[in-house]
Amino acid sequence: MNIAPEIQALQADIQRWRRQIHQHPETAFEEAATARLIAEQLQQAGIEVHQGLAKTGVVGVLRRGNSRNSIALRADMDALYIQEQNRFDHASCHSGKMHACGHDGHCAMLLGAASYLTKHGRFDGTVYFIFQPAEECRAGALQMIDEGLFEQFPAQRVFGMHNFPDVPAGHFAVKTGPMMASFDCFEINLKGQATHAAMPHFGNDVLVAAAYLVTQLQSIISRQIDPTDAAVVSITQIHGGNTWNALPDSAVVRGTFRSFKPAVRDQLENAIRHLSASIAQGFRLHADIRFNPENPGYPVTINSAADTASAIRAAIAVVGEHCVDTSPTPSLGAEDFAFMLQQKPGCYIWIGNGNAGGNCLLHNPHYDFNDDILPLGAAYWVTLVENELPG
């Protein structure tokens, strides 16, 4: 691996930042302490700091030389509503919240790169370090954009990185085109006539209708979507009733759907709407259908060809060609970094987190970021900057 000694020397600091953030997780738009730590470290490094976009967002600006070229590097800051089950010293001290997706590591790696570039970076141009809140289902990227992110910090290109436990440590994976799927939520509220459980014929059984609806929604993927188009519909919640001997007058079914093509995304929404209305009518119920009640839905994360080539070049320079997968299978997970890629050309890369020990799947109560890859991620950022803004 090609990691500068000065970056290796930063590992203790990067790990300390990472574990401090992990121990004090903050969820969407509440990342105040995390933002303070980031701002303080950027300021100590001599980087111009701006705060307040999307409530807790932080942007660092580092200029060098006379070039008008610029790039933005983005890390997400927020944690998840998951009760951590790890027992190490840096485990979450906030009940019901934890960094189960590695955003603590993403922030620490970008801070490490910023620290190195301030002291040792050989580049000509401007680097914007974007620390974004609320990636998990709340579209913090979109809010930063709506509040003027790229007007205030006019990067020509934007790059993101996420750890991936399915990728071996010491490896990267990236491809042109769709890298992550779109993400949309739906809520179907079935309403009918409540009745005694002993006399169901006097009412409308919303729970039977909900059960039928859940099974029929799965037929969208198996019978309405082209088998060559990857897509998924998942039911994640069913709510209804509060006693043993009565049929309720309402039931709620919630879930998500994901795809890699805008046309398939529209097809899924239309199919969910049609099935819900038809089944409700068949059971003599009313169906109130809402899409994305808590967020705007995430578009497909699409990497541009030119910027993917830049990411591959930087990754190969750090780990070697044999450790860079340039044709990974795209993930049906989603990323609000997609909103940034709608505004600017760029690329989203996966860094291998490995799957040994506690480095288990994302969004798992036993997950922890692999500290061994922290210098590797920082080295990728540094190499990308120095390649794309040659000094």
Side-chain angles (χ1 to χ4, degrees):
M1 293 188 185
N2 183 19
I3 301 176
E6 295 86 353
I7 295 177
Q8 291 283 17
L10 285 169
Q11 179 161 6
D13 287 335
I14 301 173
Q15 179 173 299
R16 175 170 50 84
W17 299 330
R18 202 282 294 181
R19 293 189 176 191
Q20 183 173 346
I21 294 171
H22 187 98
Q23 191 171 16
H24 302 277
E26 297 169 300
T27 47
F29 301 119
E30 298 175 344
E31 308 92 340
T34 304
R36 280 196 302 271
L37 182 153
I38 291 167
E40 288 170 1
Q41 296 304 321
L42 292 175
Q43 288 166 347
Q44 288 178 19
I47 294 174
E48 178 185 320
V49 175
H50 301 262
Q51 295 180 258
L53 283 178
K55 298 182 181 179
T56 53
V58 180
V59 180
V61 182
L62 181 59
R63 300 182 179 89
R64 183 157 295 172
N66 300 312
S67 173
R68 300 181 66 180
N69 291 329
S70 62
I71 63 173
L73 315 178
R74 173 271 203 172
D76 35 16
M77 302 191 299
D78 57 322
L80 286 152
Y81 287 103
I82 292 177
Q83 180 63 48
E84 182 157 8
Q85 295 183 21
N86 294 311
R87 294 294 181 264
F88 41 58
D89 290 343
H90 63 277
S92 171
C93 64
H94 295 166
S95 179
K97 299 180 181 181
M98 74 169 288
H99 274 287
C101 202
H103 298 185
D104 50 345
H106 303 165
C107 289
M109 291 187 295
L110 190 54
L111 280 175
S115 180
Y116 174 91
L117 287 167
T118 304
K119 299 174 183 176
H120 309 288
R122 298 181 299 276
F123 68 94
D124 186 7
T126 301
V127 185
Y128 300 106
F129 303 96
I130 301 172
F131 294 87
Q132 178 217 302
E135 186 277 328
E136 299 288 354
C137 298
R138 299 301 298 277
L142 180 60
Q143 185 159 332
M144 290 189 84
I145 292 166
D146 288 345
E147 293 180 14
L149 174 65
F150 291 124
E151 287 76 28
Q152 296 181 46
F153 311 102
Q156 295 165 322
R157 306 149 73 194
V158 62
F159 293 83
M161 178 164 55
H162 202 292
N163 80 96
F164 227 63
D166 287 344
V167 178
H171 291 238
F172 289 90
V174 66
K175 67 181 290 292
T176 298
M179 192 73 177
M180 305 284 283
S182 62
F183 163 71
D184 293 276
C185 299
F186 60 88
E187 177 181 277
I188 305 164
N189 195 334
L190 299 171
K191 300 177 182 179
Q193 174 64 49
T195 185
H196 197 291
M199 299 170 239
H201 56 291
F202 287 140
N204 311 107
D205 195 333
V206 294
L207 296 182
V208 169
Y212 187 75
L213 176 60
V214 168
T215 60
Q216 292 306 302
L217 287 173
Q218 300 309 308
S219 70
I220 296 173
I221 301 300
S222 63
R223 288 296 177 265
Q224 298 188 43
I225 301 299
D226 188 328
T228 62
D229 288 326
V232 64
V233 174
S234 293
I235 306 304
T236 57
Q237 299 180 51
I238 302 176
H239 302 278
N242 56 15
T243 189
W244 296 93
N245 60 349
L247 301 181
D249 63 359
S250 66
V252 177
V253 176
R254 297 189 180 116
T256 72
F257 59 97
R258 302 161 188 263
S259 68
F260 292 116
K261 294 181 180 179
V264 175
R265 186 184 187 188
D266 292 340
Q267 187 179 356
L268 290 169
E269 178 176 329
N270 291 334
I272 291 169
R273 191 186 302 276
H274 174 74
L275 264 178
S276 301
S278 298
I279 290 171
Q281 183 178 21
F283 280 88
R284 296 181 294 117
L285 305 172
H286 173 74
D288 179 22
I289 309 164
R290 296 196 301 161
F291 291 95
N292 298 316
E294 295 182 352
N295 66 63
Y298 291 4
V300 182
T301 301
I302 302 175
N303 291 338
S304 75
D307 296 297
T308 301
S310 296
I312 291 171
R313 185 163 54 249
I316 288 175
V318 175
V319 298
E321 187 171 0
H322 64 291
C323 290
V324 180
D325 181 359
T326 58
S327 58
T329 301
S331 171
L332 279 160
E335 244 290 348
D336 74 344
F337 185 69
F339 289 111
M340 294 191 183
L341 291 177
Q342 287 185 328
Q343 300 295 314
K344 302 285 181 177
C347 182
Y348 182 79
I349 194 171
W350 295 334
I351 181 172
N353 197 56
N355 55 14
N359 305 321
C360 57
L361 295 177
L362 302 175
H363 294 210
N364 184 295
H366 292 285
Y367 172 87
D368 191 30
F369 193 90
N370 183 354
D371 285 336
D372 291 343
I373 71 170
L374 291 170
L376 187 65
Y380 166 78
W381 284 134
V382 167
T383 305
L384 181 68
V385 168
E386 294 185 339
N387 283 354
E388 303 307 310
L389 301 176

